[in-house]
Amino acid sequence: MSRGSAPSGLRSITGTLATVLLLLVVVAALPWLRGEDPARTVLRVRFTARGDDPAAVEALRRELDLPSSPVSGVLTWLSGALRGDLGTSWVSRRPVGELVGPALGTSLTLAGTAGVIAVAVAGLLLTPVIRQGARSGPKPRSRRPDLLSGPVPAALAALPEVVVAVTAVLLFAVTWRVLPVFGWNGPASAVLPGLSLGLPAGGLLARMLSASAEQTLTEPWVRAWRASGLDLRPLRRAVVRRVVAVGAPQAVVVGMSIVGSSVAVERVFSIPGAGTLALDAVLAEDLPVVQAVLAGFVVVGLVAAAMAAAVHRVLAVPDAERAAGEPTHLGTQNDGRRPAWVLVLTLALVVLSVGWFRNGTATDLSLRLASPSLAHPLGADAVGHDQWGRLAHGTLLTVSLAAGITLFALVIGVLVGTSAGLAGPGSTPGALDVLATVPSNLAGLLVAAALGPGLRGACLAVLLVAWIPLAVHARTLACEARSAGYVRAAVLTGAGPGRLLRVHVLPAVLGPLVRHALVRLPAAALGIAGLSFLGLGADPDRPELGAMLAAGVGYLETAPWLVLGPAGILVILAVLTTSSARSAQP
């Protein structure tokens, strides 16, 4: 271990703990973030007719022991949470722990089921790749990709969880009527929600681990073992161990994505989990319940990160990076074939372009829930709006908002990432790495609890999450640029920090970061749509993809075509995200 590794590890742990503490402080300050006395909020929630009655406000303050200042309120909530006292619900007047405990257990059971499915899917996809690679080495990427190592994981990872859930309800509840799809009444109730969360997560995990498997299979010790003619079973076990060690931190990101996506899946399947409880509490302004659920998710994320770090330390191969020898560039050469998703995107753009000229706002009750016809190829919604026109305008709204969010995220990512990268060698703060695991749905719950539901709050929630991966990437690029020989030479010649940043660092950072931001634009659109589906974004009557999907779920049995349009666009956005990310890899 080098001398600098211990201070660097200590800084990383300190940054991680500081970030977790900051998140808990924000959660503790939630009742004051909206700029209103919490006692007045309780009065409005419980007794709307009382108005602004000072005597009633003081009575509620004494009843709930509400502090009068944010500082004392944060300290009181944190000290109570350490003792297991999470306060009293403002709506039901029950102890919050009695409400959150069972709900969090249900959500963790669902997340565990989905995690097992995700690991099983990733294992099924990676096992043939590792077995083949141990025998003859990985195939170059320039050839036709193997289905299990390329298209299948990408297709699974591209499936939005809410679309899988809605499709499962449509098939298993409306069409086939074979599996229970609503409620939480035993192991059978976890099958479809677990698959809805586990299949996309398994594809994502397989994609993350495949690069590590391919790199490991090209290392000199693997090539030497393969050439020696020895038994390949120990080799395969060693490769699996290396892949699991490298993939443990990545599994935390996948696990937190499962937790974030479970909010929408719980709503689709009417599961009384923590996500459903927090969502109902946000809409009812029951902030103590929201505080407890968000704090529970933060603690779960911290425990998962600690477990992943422990697995990495136990299984990691010492000095494996130095033993790997020369880097192997498998390449992403274009073989001249046009990707299939380009054709799908072109067709979708043509269809939407025609829809932009159709009136999607005119109401005609005689067309209520009209089925697709020549006049209305995609049918009409519950109030007679032309679904084609609304779909086109909704896509334009969602994508344009995502473009603005991505631009802001790029600016913030450049500023924060380059500052962290130029702080010096070995400065790898844990803050960005912890924040990178926060899903947009959880950020949406926090913002909606503070500001109230709305499209502006949904955009802010997506922005709070979108800048973090860009900052992490900018930090890495800035560290590489800072350690370059020509930059060190510029420092020796007396170049100041401003000139270094303007002439040497920013040109090396901006190009790759702009491409990275463009790759993440569809993900921002999916984040906005997901929050609108939960009721935390656009109004139900506004043409926006998530709101349209949520409105169509209520008519799955009578008008299933209402979900096909927005679900199809969301799938295309997800495919764009995964395909662009794959093509953008160096």
Side-chain angles (χ1 to χ4, degrees), residues 215 218 220 223 324-328:
Q215 180 63 35
T218 61
R223 295 200 298 266
E326 72 281 359
T328 301

Side-chain angles (χ1 to χ4, degrees), residues 508-519:
V509 169
L510 283 180
L513 212 62
V514 168
R515 292 192 294 272
H516 187 178
L518 291 176
V519 167

Side-chain angles (χ1 to χ4, degrees), residues 30 259-260 263 274-283 287 290 293-294 297 439-452 457 461 531 534 536:
L30 197 55
V259 172
V263 180
T276 301
L277 180 65
L279 182 60
D280 294 339
V282 166
L283 299 178
L287 298 188
V290 181
V293 172
L294 291 177
F297 283 150
S440 60
N441 284 346
L442 299 186
L445 289 174
L446 179 63
V447 172
L451 305 179
L531 292 175
L534 294 174
L536 304 178

Side-chain angles (χ1 to χ4, degrees), residues 430-468:
L432 291 178
D433 305 292
V434 172
L435 292 174
T437 65
V438 178
S440 60
N441 284 346
L442 299 186
L445 289 174
L446 179 63
V447 172
L451 305 179
L455 196 53
R456 183 178 302 177
C459 293
L460 177 60
V462 175
L463 176 61
L464 289 176
V465 176
W467 68 271
I468 300 170

Side-chain angles (χ1 to χ4, degrees), residues 61-137:
R61 192 188 308 279
R62 290 191 300 271
E63 175 190 342
L64 299 175
D65 194 21
L66 292 173
S68 56
S69 70
V71 175
S72 60
V74 169
L75 295 177
T76 300
W77 188 87
L78 289 175
S79 62
L82 290 176
R83 300 191 308 269
D85 181 10
L86 298 173
T88 304
S89 168
W90 291 353
V91 175
S92 66
R93 309 188 187 187
R94 294 175 56 190
V96 171
E98 295 181 0
L99 299 172
V100 174
L104 189 59
T106 299
S107 292
L108 291 179
T109 302
L110 174 59
T113 303
V116 171
I117 294 174
V119 171
V121 170
L124 289 174
L125 294 174
L126 289 176
T127 297
V129 177
I130 293 176
R131 291 176 63 89
Q132 173 64 27
R135 286 196 302 267
S136 58

Side-chain angles (χ1 to χ4, degrees), residues 476-490:
T476 303
L477 294 173
C479 287
E480 293 177 352
R482 188 182 187 279
S483 61
Y486 64 89
V487 174
R488 292 200 298 268

